Amino acid sequence: MSYDGFLPFISAQLQYLLNHYPHTIQIEQARSGTRYFPGSLDRFTLLIPYCQDHMKWDVIYNAEFPLAAPDVIFGAEDEDFHPFHVVCGEDGDSRLVKNSLTDWNNKDPTRLLALVIELRDKYRSYQEKRVGEVDDDRLKFEISTIVSREGIEMHMSSGFEKPEEVKFAVPLMDMNINKMVSACPWRHPQKIYLQVIYPVGRKYASAPSAPRLKLMCTPELKALFSIDDVKLPPWLDGMCMAEYLPHLEELLQRLVIEAVTLIDVRRQFIEALAPLLGRPLEADPVFCRKASFLVCSGPFTFMLHVFLSTNFPKQQPSLMLQSTQHFNSLGMPVKSPLITEYPWSPRWETSQMADRISDFLVDESLNFKRHCNESHLQY
Amino acid sequence: MDDLPFQKITISGPTLSALMHRIATSLGDVDGLLFGHVTRLTPSTLTDDNTPQNPDSDLVATITSFFCPNIPLSFYDSLGRVDSATLHRLVSSTTHQSNSSSSSSNFLGWFSARRKSPIRPSMREFCVSQSLSRLKTAAKGDKDLNPCVFLLFTTPVHGEMLYHTHEYRAYQFQVNSRCFEPKTIAIDNIGPDFRGNYGCFSPNSPFPELKCASAMNDEAGEDLNRMERVSKDQKELDMVAEGFCVGDLGKLMGSETVNSTMSLEDLYEKMLGKLDNLARQVEKSNAKVLEMENHNRKLRYKIARPVPE
């Protein structure tokens, strides 16, 4: 994201926000409110993560009056959220109140970050209060047992013509995944969350239904661990979260440790390919999910891209061939489709896996060369 | 204090278009004060039964004028806390200008206009409205003076530059429940359909009450006194007409009414002349204001865009 077009002081505050906020924040819809200079951007939408979802908050600066503090417009669902309403002075003595908007200084780049953090904290308290007010015995019990978990977030959704629901995002496992990966490239701490959605119960419902459960994780974790492949343990009748979570955490812990050991298995496989295909041109050194080799078949040279899933070696690598000599009408190198079916067994030794791929390539390179020549002739 | 919910908020077409013009021509986001009056609708259907009518729904707030200081945060700070001294200054100067003797321009509330933003009250707008409602309740218990009206103007976030699209919404701030209550906004235009709305209309600038005309017929008493009165009346007449002599007013009535049509036309012409002159003065002063505004803008840009060294 470039900050071109923002006034220098807004751009400095934005940059500081994006670099120092503990989670990933996105900026959307940068626009200008000035009449004569539609190029000087002074308002934008921030996508702030909350409860495994995003809140869209509009931040409105005023390019014509740079000294004025920005204003914030919250989401349409949150019209009752008034973070600073108490400061308007119940007792008339409002000068003592201090928050991130008092004494606004547009030259201080840390101000926007401080404002966003303060508002988000207040939003969290606001949602906790709303959820706490819901008249539902099961929910009250669940909250009392898990509220002490660090980092838990909750959200009450009650849109027009939508059933009332309470959503929890429960951070799982007190383990630092970043530390388990050597040469870890992640800037933000990676976490797995369980999203639990309870429909707000009607008094006459006899047996409360199971909540909707979904595992979620921070986006970068997907390079190591595929959260979608985890099969959640069943939710038994009459269960509560305090019972359910320990089993799930145990399971996930095992899976994450296994996923970390699989990095080495993938590394060994890539290393085993090197004697047969030559040193890789390029390889993913941290997670070992991808490697590219330059391969010759007689006078025909092509690149071989090997993509390894997190389930390797259970799932065989996908291959793609890319010619270094043939181009299509757009000037792009001719590529083969992803090849996912060729002789494979997860029980083979690593060296045997590499051998078999090398064997497979002998025939496949001829096919690919024919394909390249044909598509080349068409243009 | 109890909240008295309005049935609707009305604004006359010319006021709305003047307001929109002001907003559209402003450099950036602006806000300002709204003036007008609150009236109680006479129920159109009378029934015999004694069921109490809903008292909520017969109040109508009518916006008749506005004041736009052309700078943001003019009467409140970045937290939305109203500065009562500044507000008082702005309100009193505006109500004095528009003839404070008529009760038609009470301080009703405020408006905020921001381009390319969602049409929902913002964090600060909420605080300002809340602060306003507190301030007045604390000052005096006058129900009509609770400045709870809020008009919000925006342009679409994805708006194209080729079209001018204005979105607006009216709200009433509820003190007790601390929330904005959306209200329908009705535009009063001139025409037979809107005649009902002008039933209680009283002009803002009535013709001055002159005793002179009748005094002319009195036996000439003390000359000095009379001359003083005439010159005073002439001054008042000059406020509405350009160069119409007080003495000629006598021709509009009494025995000399034969030529009254001509005299009346003459009076109207001179009144138009006055308006013309006023318009010219406004044009000149506007040019001066624009010049000063540009100067201020340059100064502000110096702060916003530091010159690279």
Side-chain angles (χ1 to χ4, degrees), chain B residues 188-247:
Chain B
D188 283 351
N189 281 316
I190 296 172
D193 287 351
F194 298 92
R195 193 165 285 153
N197 298 321
Y198 289 92
C200 55
F201 175 74
S202 70
N204 274 338
S205 56
F207 198 80
E209 231 174 80
L210 305 175
K211 297 191 186 93
C212 174
S214 56
M216 300 277 281
N217 296 340
D218 288 356
E219 67 248 45
E222 305 100 72
D223 258 14
L224 198 67
N225 249 355
R226 215 188 105 217
M227 273 173 65
E228 235 173 56
R229 203 189 296 153
V230 167
S231 76
K232 193 170 153 277
D233 285 348
Q234 184 67 55
K235 254 186 217 161
E236 270 188 66
L237 191 61
D238 284 347
M239 295 288 284
V240 292
E242 188 101 347
F244 193 85
C245 190
V246 178

Side-chain angles (χ1 to χ4, degrees), chain B residues 52-233:
Chain B
Q53 292 206 330
N54 184 9
D56 299 357
S57 56
D58 57 356
L59 280 181
V60 173
T62 307
I63 297 164
T64 53
S65 62
F66 66 92
F67 173 69
C68 174
N70 231 0
I71 50 165
L73 306 180
S74 53
F75 61 98
Y76 53 90
D77 65 5
S78 56
L79 283 174
R81 293 175 301 193
V82 169
D83 179 358
S84 48
T86 316
L87 180 68
H88 187 73
R89 190 164 48 79
L90 294 179
V91 168
S92 58
S93 68
T94 316
T95 39
H96 273 302
Q97 270 173 24
S98 60
N99 201 352
S100 57
S101 59
S102 69
S103 63
S104 66
S105 59
N106 289 324
F107 177 35
L108 272 192
W110 72 296
F111 69 90
S112 171
R114 40 179 163 78
R115 296 197 179 101
K116 302 212 170 192
S117 56
I119 185 148
R120 299 189 282 277
S122 74
M123 177 174 80
R124 188 185 293 143
E125 283 153 5
F126 175 83
C127 290
V128 172
S129 277
Q130 195 189 20
S131 185
L132 272 181
S133 65
R134 277 220 181 95
L135 205 77
K136 277 291 177 180
T137 332
K140 38 181 148 174
D142 196 341
K143 283 174 192 169
D144 295 83
L145 280 183
N146 186 10
C148 53
V149 174
F150 174 59
L151 281 190
L152 176 60
F153 293 82
T154 62
T155 64
V157 173
H158 298 291
E160 280 189 52
M161 297 300 286
L162 293 173
Y163 305 99
H164 284 286
T165 312
H166 292 280
E167 294 174 330
Y168 56 92
R169 269 187 200 168
Y171 300 88
Q172 183 183 11
F173 188 78
Q174 305 280 351
V175 184
N176 292 338
S177 51
R178 284 202 281 207
C179 66
F180 281 112
E181 190 73 34
K183 293 286 162 190
T184 50
I185 183 159
I187 300 168
D188 283 351
N189 281 316
I190 296 172
D193 287 351
F194 298 92
R195 193 165 285 153
N197 298 321
Y198 289 92
C200 55
F201 175 74
S202 70
N204 274 338
S205 56
F207 198 80
E209 231 174 80
L210 305 175
K211 297 191 186 93
C212 174
S214 56
M216 300 277 281
N217 296 340
D218 288 356
E219 67 248 45
E222 305 100 72
D223 258 14
L224 198 67
N225 249 355
R226 215 188 105 217
M227 273 173 65
E228 235 173 56
R229 203 189 296 153
V230 167
S231 76
K232 193 170 153 277
D233 285 348

Side-chain angles (χ1 to χ4, degrees), chain A residues 163-176:
Chain A
E164 286 192 332
E165 285 177 343
V166 169
K167 182 164 75 179
F168 293 94
V170 190
L172 297 172
M173 297 189 297
D174 193 17
M175 65 201 282
N176 188 337

Side-chain angles (χ1 to χ4, degrees), chain A residues 31 43 64 69 71 94, chain B residues 81 115-116 122 124 300:
Chain A
R31 49 206 192 263
R43 50 207 60 197
E64 292 293 339
D71 195 4
S94 51
Chain B
R81 293 175 301 193
R115 296 197 179 101
K116 302 212 170 192
S122 74
R124 188 185 293 143
R300 282 200 303 272

